[in-house]
Amino acid sequence: MNQVRRILLVSLALAAAAVGSVRAQETAPQDGIESAALDIVPPGPPCALTVRDYLEHSDSGDKIEIEWGLSPDDGSGAGDVTGYVLSRSLAEGEVGDVLEEIASGATHYVDVSVEPGVEYYYSLEAYDGTNSSERVWAGPVAGRVNLFQWSRLSVLVLMLLFFAMVTWFTAAAGKGAKLFVRRIPGLNAIEEAVGRATEMGRPVLYVPGIGEIDNIMTIASLNILSHVAKITARYDTPLIVPTARAVVMSAAEEVVKQAYAEVGNPDAYNPDNIRYLSDAQFAFAGAVNGIMLREKPAANLYMGAFWAESLLLAETGFEAGAIQVAGTAMVSQLPFFVTACDFTLMGEELYAASAYLSREPKLLGGLKGSDWMKVVSIVLMVAGIVAHIVGLEWFVAWFQTQ
Amino acid sequence: MRREIPLAITFLVGMFMLVDFFVPHHAVSSAAAEMKQWGTIVIAASILLGVGNLIRVHYKKISRKQEGWGYSIVTMSVMAIMLFFGGPWGTIQEGSAFNWMFLNVQVPLQSTMFSLLAFFIASAAYRAFRLRSVESSMLLISAIIVMLGRVPLGQLLTRGLPEQATLPWLTEMIMAYPNMAAFRGILMGAALGVMAMGLRVILGIERSYLGGDK
C-alpha cells in the first residue's frame, strides 16, 4: 500500500510541475516578442548633418565628406541606436539609394563614389533595430575637381630644386667647368674584363637584368651596354646579350648595332648574339647558365634589375672562372653580387655609370646635381629630427605626402 | 628624324606622367591610365619579336650543327608542342593539355631551379664568411649572431642572461641600426639616381638607350 501511495504522490507532483510549467509559458512572453512589442518609440534623429567637398588630400573631385552629430539615443537617452542609414539622391526630397549602413557611434563618412561636378543630396536616419528615426537632410553638394595635389607640394618644391641643380651643373659643365667624380672601381673594371676576354679569345656576356623596358634600371643598363658594345667592337670581341624581355631584346639589338657602327666596325656585329631566351625568371636563369657553361665567356657583366636569379647567375659565372662585374639598385640582391662578383656597382653607381664612362659634360652635370641633392636631403633630415625634438611639427608635417 | 621623334615622344610622355603625379584631375589621371595601358599592350604584342628571335637563332644553330644544337632541337620542339596545344584548346582552362604541361613540367622545372638557390647560397656564404680581413671578420660575427638570434637555439643559448646580452636582442639591434642605415643609404642614393636618370632621359640628355649618342 505504501508503495502505491508513494507512486500516486510522485505522479501528482509531476502533474503539478507540468501544469505549473505550462502556465509559466503562457504568462511569460518571449524576450524578443516582449521587446518588439514594447519598443514602439523611434530613436531621436541625428543632428547637424553637414556635407562638403573632400579637400584634405586634394582629390580628383570624386569624394564628398559627410559629418553629423549623434542621435540623442546613441550612447545616451534610450541608448538603443544600433546604427545609421546614409542615403544619396540626385533630387531634393528624394531618398535615393542607400549608400551605407554605418555603425552607431560614428559621426563621419567619406563617399568615394561621386561623379565630379554632379550635385547630390544626402539623408541620414538612425535606427534601433526596429524603428528608424526621422530623416535629416543635407545638400546639394558637388565634388570639386582639384587642379593640384597640395599634399605633394613638398615633393614638387624639392623636385624643382633638384632639376634646377642638375640644369645648373649641366650648363656649367657645358661651359667647361671641371667636375670631379670619384673613382668607381667597378666601372674601371669593365674595360679590364673585356680586355681579358679579348686576350683569351672568348666572348663577353652582358645580362641586362630581367626588368621590363619601363624599369629605369633597364634603361641604365642599356646605356652601359652601349659603352660595353663600343669596347667589344673596338677589340673585335664577341658580345652575347641574353634578354628576358622581347622589347629589351629589340632595344639591345639597336644599341649594340649602333655602337658597332659608331666605332667603325659594323661587320663585327652579330645579330644572333642578342638573344631572347624566356620571360620566365628561372627558365631565363637556366638558359643563361647554359650559355656560361657551353660558350664559356671570359667576362660576365650583370647590369640592371635582378631578383632571385641573381645568385644563380653569379655563382655559376664564378664557378666557370669568369671575371664578373655586377650593378643593380635592388638592395636585396646586392649581397649576392658582392659575394660572387669581382666588382659590384651599388644603387646609384648603376645610374652614374653612363656619365662616368662617357665623361660627357652634360651627363656629368646630372651626376653632380644628384650629389648636391643628397647634401640637401641630409640637411633636411637633420632639420626634421631637430624640428621634431623642439616641437616644430608643422615642418615635419609639410614633408608628409599622405 | 629617326632620333628626334622618339626623343619628342619620350619628353611628352615623361612630362605628362609628371603632371599626372601632381594634378588629381580625372581627365589627367584617366589619360595617364590609358597611356599605361597602351604600354602594356605594346609590351604584350612584342612577344612576337621574341619568338621570331628565338626561332631565328635556334634554326641557324640547328642548320649549321653548331655546338649544343641538340638543345636547340629540344627548345624548338617544346615551343612547337606548347603552341600546338595552347592555340586550339586554350591555355589556362583546367584540364587542357597546355595547362597540364605547364603545371606538371614547367612549374616543377622552375621550382627545381629556384631550390638550387639553397646550395648556391651555402657556397657563396662559405666564401663571404671566410676570415680574411677585419671587415670579413665583422661580417662573420654579425652573420653568426643574426643567424642564431633568429632560431630558437639562439634563445636557448643565451637564456638567463640580461636581455641586452641575448642573441635575439643583439640580432634586432644589428638589423635595426647598422643594417637599416646602410639599406636606407643605398635606397636614398638609388632614388636620387633614378630621378636624375629620369630627368636626363626626359630631357633627351641621355640617349644611349636609343642606340648610340649621336
Side-chain angles (χ1 to χ4, degrees):
Chain A
M1 277 303 282
N2 278 348
Q3 209 170 1
V4 172
R5 199 178 293 158
R6 209 174 296 147
I7 290 168
L8 276 171
L9 279 172
V10 169
S11 304
L12 275 170
L14 284 173
V19 169
S21 159
V22 169
R23 280 195 181 156
Q25 279 182 7
E26 280 171 356
T27 52
Q30 285 168 12
D31 288 349
I33 295 168
E34 181 186 42
S35 58
L38 290 177
D39 188 8
I40 53 165
V41 183
C47 57
L49 179 68
T50 54
V51 286
R52 61 170 176 268
D53 180 31
Y54 187 72
L55 283 173
E56 276 83 347
H57 296 105
S58 310
D59 65 311
S60 57
D62 57 354
K63 296 185 188 74
I64 297 287
E65 195 166 19
I66 303 136
E67 280 183 342
W68 61 92
L70 291 178
S71 154
D73 295 319
D74 185 355
S76 57
D80 59 352
V81 170
T82 53
Y84 297 91
V85 178
L86 180 68
S87 304
R88 186 180 77 186
S89 71
L90 292 167
E92 192 172 5
E94 248 180 44
V95 175
D97 301 324
V98 171
L99 194 64
E100 189 75 38
E101 290 184 12
I102 304 158
S104 59
T107 58
H108 180 258
Y109 181 78
V110 178
D111 180 4
V112 294
S113 59
V114 303
E115 281 288 320
V118 176
E119 290 194 333
Y120 292 99
Y121 294 85
Y122 288 85
S123 65
L124 187 74
E125 58 184 347
Y127 69 92
D128 61 8
T130 312
N131 306 299
S132 294
S133 74
E134 203 180 298
R135 200 175 278 276
V136 288
W137 299 85
V141 62
R144 202 180 66 230
V145 181
N146 297 285
L147 287 177
F148 185 71
Q149 190 117 5
W150 288 101
S151 58
R152 291 179 178 172
L153 180 65
S154 56
V155 179
L156 180 67
V157 169
L158 289 174
M159 198 179 80
L160 289 176
L161 175 69
F162 177 53
F163 286 3
M165 282 196 284
V166 169
T167 313
W168 192 82
F169 279 110
T170 304
K175 285 176 191 162
K178 285 222 181 319
L179 300 175
F180 170 76
V181 181
R182 73 177 166 84
R183 196 175 159 269
I184 304 176
L187 290 173
N188 294 339
I190 289 178
E191 188 145 3
E192 269 173 49
V194 178
R196 183 172 174 242
T198 310
E199 280 168 16
M200 295 174 82
R202 278 160 43 182
V204 172
L205 180 74
Y206 187 97
V207 187
I210 62 165
E212 203 32 280
I213 194 78
D214 59 356
N215 189 318
I216 198 85
M217 278 184 257
T218 308
I219 300 282
S221 177
L222 290 174
N223 289 331
I224 301 171
L225 174 63
S226 174
H227 296 284
V228 172
K230 280 176 193 163
I231 304 170
T232 55
R234 225 175 283 134
Y235 293 163
D236 214 358
T237 306
L239 172 66
I240 302 170
V241 186
T243 60
R245 309 285 171 210
V247 179
V248 177
M249 176 215 71
S250 197
E253 272 181 344
E254 198 62 30
V255 165
V256 175
K257 194 173 162 185
Q258 187 70 26
Y260 274 69
E262 276 180 28
V263 168
N265 193 7
D267 296 338
Y269 168 68
N270 180 2
D272 293 345
N273 279 346
I274 318 297
R275 301 171 194 169
Y276 169 76
L277 301 179
S278 170
D279 268 51
Q281 183 184 18
F282 292 107
F284 175 76
V288 176
N289 285 356
I291 291 172
M292 284 183 204
L293 298 174
R294 284 193 297 275
E295 302 187 33
K296 296 189 170 45
N300 296 338
L301 309 173
Y302 313 101
M303 303 281 168
F306 291 88
W307 281 265
E309 73 289 348
S310 64
L311 191 63
L312 292 176
L313 302 176
E315 265 302 279
T316 308
F318 177 84
E319 294 295 333
I323 182 168
Q324 303 200 99
V325 184
T328 186
M330 303 291 286
V331 185
S332 53
Q333 304 306 320
L334 279 172
F336 297 135
F337 279 139
V338 169
T339 306
C341 296
D342 300 278
F343 296 94
T344 306
L345 305 176
M346 292 192 196
E348 61 185 320
E349 290 177 342
L350 176 73
Y351 303 115
S354 179
Y356 185 90
L357 290 168
S358 69
R359 296 277 160 180
E360 205 180 300
K362 280 182 182 173
L363 298 178
L364 286 176
L367 208 58
K368 214 67 193 160
S370 309
D371 283 349
W372 277 101
M373 195 61 207
K374 255 180 273 174
V375 175
V376 172
S377 305
I378 292 166
V379 170
L380 284 175
M381 269 188 277
V382 174
I385 294 165
V386 173
H388 186 63
I389 291 168
V390 300
L392 293 174
E393 290 303 327
W394 62 265
F395 183 79
V396 180
W398 192 71
F399 289 94
Q400 287 171 351
T401 54
Q402 298 297 321
Chain B
M1 288 303 276
R2 193 171 161 268
R3 186 58 50 82
E4 281 74 18
I5 291 173
L7 284 175
I9 293 172
T10 308
F11 176 77
L12 290 174
V13 174
M15 291 310 283
F16 190 78
M17 289 300 162
L18 266 183
V19 170
D20 176 48
F21 183 75
F22 292 107
V23 177
H25 197 290
H26 58 92
V28 177
S29 52
S30 55
E34 188 81 10
M35 274 188 194
K36 284 174 196 163
Q37 225 163 19
W38 290 356
T40 309
I41 292 166
V42 168
I43 285 171
S46 71
I47 192 74
L48 290 174
L49 293 172
V51 172
N53 178 283
L54 205 67
I55 293 171
R56 194 189 70 217
V57 169
H58 288 283
Y59 173 73
K60 277 188 189 172
K61 216 169 176 182
I62 295 166
S63 60
R64 290 173 191 168
K65 290 212 166 50
Q66 285 174 349
E67 194 190 345
W69 65 280
Y71 297 113
S72 295
I73 291 181
V74 174
T75 306
M76 299 299 280
S77 313
V78 169
M79 190 169 76
I81 290 168
M82 291 302 266
L83 277 174
F84 176 75
F85 284 104
W89 294 289
T91 52
I92 53 169
Q93 285 86 348
E94 212 165 305
S96 69
F98 184 98
N99 196 41
W100 187 88
M101 285 188 288
F102 178 76
L103 294 176
N104 294 287
V105 180
Q106 186 165 346
V107 171
L109 282 173
Q110 297 211 92
S111 306
T112 307
M113 278 302 291
F114 184 48
S115 56
L116 283 177
L117 201 56
F119 301 101
F120 285 125
I121 286 177
S123 64
Y126 170 72
R127 280 203 312 279
F129 297 153
R130 264 185 306 184
L131 278 171
R132 284 171 302 183
S133 59
V134 178
E135 289 87 354
S136 62
S137 314
M138 282 171 65
L139 188 66
L140 174 64
I141 294 165
S142 309
I144 289 171
I145 292 172
V146 171
M147 283 191 285
L148 281 175
R150 296 221 153 160
V151 292
L153 178 66
Q155 233 163 0
L156 193 75
L157 285 174
T158 50
R159 198 167 53 181
L161 293 176
E163 199 202 349
Q164 281 81 354
T166 59
L167 285 169
W169 190 86
L170 289 170
T171 298
E172 284 312 306
M173 287 301 107
I174 290 170
M175 296 305 289
Y177 296 104
N179 178 66
M180 188 55 79
F183 186 87
R184 286 187 179 158
I186 294 171
L187 268 188
M188 280 169 55
L192 287 171
V194 167
M195 281 177 70
M197 179 91 186
L199 183 66
R200 293 202 300 262
V201 169
I202 288 172
L203 296 180
I205 298 170
E206 182 82 75
R207 49 181 75 176
S208 312
Y209 69 99
L210 289 172
D213 304 328
K214 302 197 170 63

